[in-house]
Amino acid sequence: MRSTFFYLFFLLVASSCGSSRSLVYFKDLEKSPNYTEEVKNKVNPKIQPDDLLTITVSSLNPESNVLFNNGVLQTIGGTSSGVATGRTNEGYLVDKDGSINFPVLGNVKLGGLTKEEATSKMVAEISKSVKNPIVNIKLINFRITVLGEVNRPSTFIVPSERVNLLEAIGLAGDLTAYGKRENVLIIRETNSIRSTFRINLTSKEALNSPSFYLQQNDVVYVEPAKIKSLQSGDSSFYIPLVSLGISVITALIFLTR
């Protein structure tokens, strides 16, 4: 009977410890230390409504530069170069139709274009008035939000206009020990459509996910593991343990009869 008691006690302990998880990212990479693969899921962000763009125009015509840059003419090296740039604290807000209101040109639709495509379009439009213009476009409100079981949940502005999921988690101070690495949620809105994606960061397949590279305004949410429910007093976590405990006690009473 004593051996039966210890066996049942072992089952109880094993069940209570069964929720232990691996905290290692991409643990299946350990099998292939020289892992090499072509990156095929990298995408260029596309301009969306509510994006804020800075657009600067340079040409050999100082007067045109002033017109296309909101009337701001700057010099380089203390001498007039005829090169103008727009104010750094202002930008062009993309409206709900994907258009901006640009000096001289009026409404120009850039929504749905990559930055390179938008630059080519602006060059083509401005070239109708100015010879050989140089156009630079920058997205200045590329932001992502990281919430849940991370050390520093917040909204982050990304100056490089490109960030992947690991970099976003790094900005948030990495996942806590309670963070559920197997099921990270990404919430994305594109063209008024909200989509969700799940990524398992314990598998190398996460690197090939089409959502591994984030887009502007993405929200990353890291769920808490069940073990945190135990510490926070969530009674639902105890139900399996209580059930097993009752079964053990019932079995012991039956054996002692």
Side-chain angles (χ1 to χ4, degrees), residues 26-246:
F26 315 119
K27 59 185 180 181
D28 48 354
L29 281 177
E30 298 175 357
K31 303 175 183 179
S32 51
N34 298 320
Y35 175 76
T36 301
E37 186 176 19
E38 180 184 357
V39 177
K40 298 181 180 179
N41 58 340
K42 185 176 291 187
V43 295
N44 289 324
K46 295 185 177 181
I47 297 173
Q48 303 177 10
D50 296 325
D51 283 350
L52 193 61
L53 309 175
T54 58
I55 303 176
T56 59
V57 180
S58 303
S59 73
L60 297 177
N61 189 326
E63 291 78 12
S64 297
N65 293 335
V66 172
L67 290 176
F68 285 113
N69 292 284
N70 288 327
V72 179
L73 180 64
Q74 292 187 351
T75 60
I76 296 178
T79 60
S80 177
S81 64
V83 178
T85 61
R87 296 181 180 89
T88 57
N89 62 341
E90 294 183 358
Y92 296 95
L93 182 65
V94 181
D95 65 20
K96 63 179 181 180
D97 297 321
S99 300
I100 62 170
N101 188 11
F102 196 75
V104 181
L105 302 180
N107 285 335
V108 181
K109 188 167 185 178
L110 301 179
L113 303 179
T114 65
K115 189 172 68 172
E116 291 75 15
E117 292 170 341
T119 300
S120 297
K121 182 171 183 176
M122 292 298 295
V123 168
E125 292 294 329
I126 296 172
S127 294
K128 298 175 182 178
S129 304
V130 180
K131 185 178 181 180
N132 298 325
I134 298 175
V135 178
N136 290 296
I137 299 178
K138 184 176 182 180
L139 176 60
I140 58 177
N141 67 336
F142 189 111
R143 62 179 180 268
I144 55 171
T145 300
V146 186
L147 302 173
E149 285 300 322
V150 292
N151 289 298
R152 293 191 302 272
S154 185
T155 296
F156 304 95
I157 300 295
V158 182
S160 65
E161 305 174 18
R162 178 172 293 175
V163 61
N164 62 44
L165 180 57
L166 292 182
E167 292 169 331
I169 290 174
L171 290 173
D174 202 1
L175 275 63
T176 69
Y178 300 112
K180 198 170 182 180
R181 289 152 173 79
E182 304 84 357
N183 200 27
V184 176
L185 173 66
I186 297 174
I187 305 172
R188 175 173 300 164
E189 290 187 14
T190 306
N191 298 324
S192 300
I193 298 176
R194 182 178 294 112
S195 305
T196 60
F197 309 89
R198 301 270 182 177
I199 293 185
N200 179 6
L201 287 178
T202 66
S203 170
K204 67 180 181 181
E205 291 305 316
L207 300 172
N208 297 319
S209 169
S211 302
F212 181 71
Y213 286 91
L214 303 180
Q215 298 183 15
Q216 62 266 44
N217 305 316
D218 276 1
V219 176
V220 178
Y221 174 64
V222 181
E223 298 178 6
K226 287 185 177 180
I227 190 172
K228 189 171 185 179
S229 300
L230 175 64
Q231 296 192 355
S232 62
D234 186 352
S235 59
S236 63
F237 184 83
Y238 294 96
I239 294 177
L241 297 181
V242 172
S243 299
L244 182 59
I246 293 174

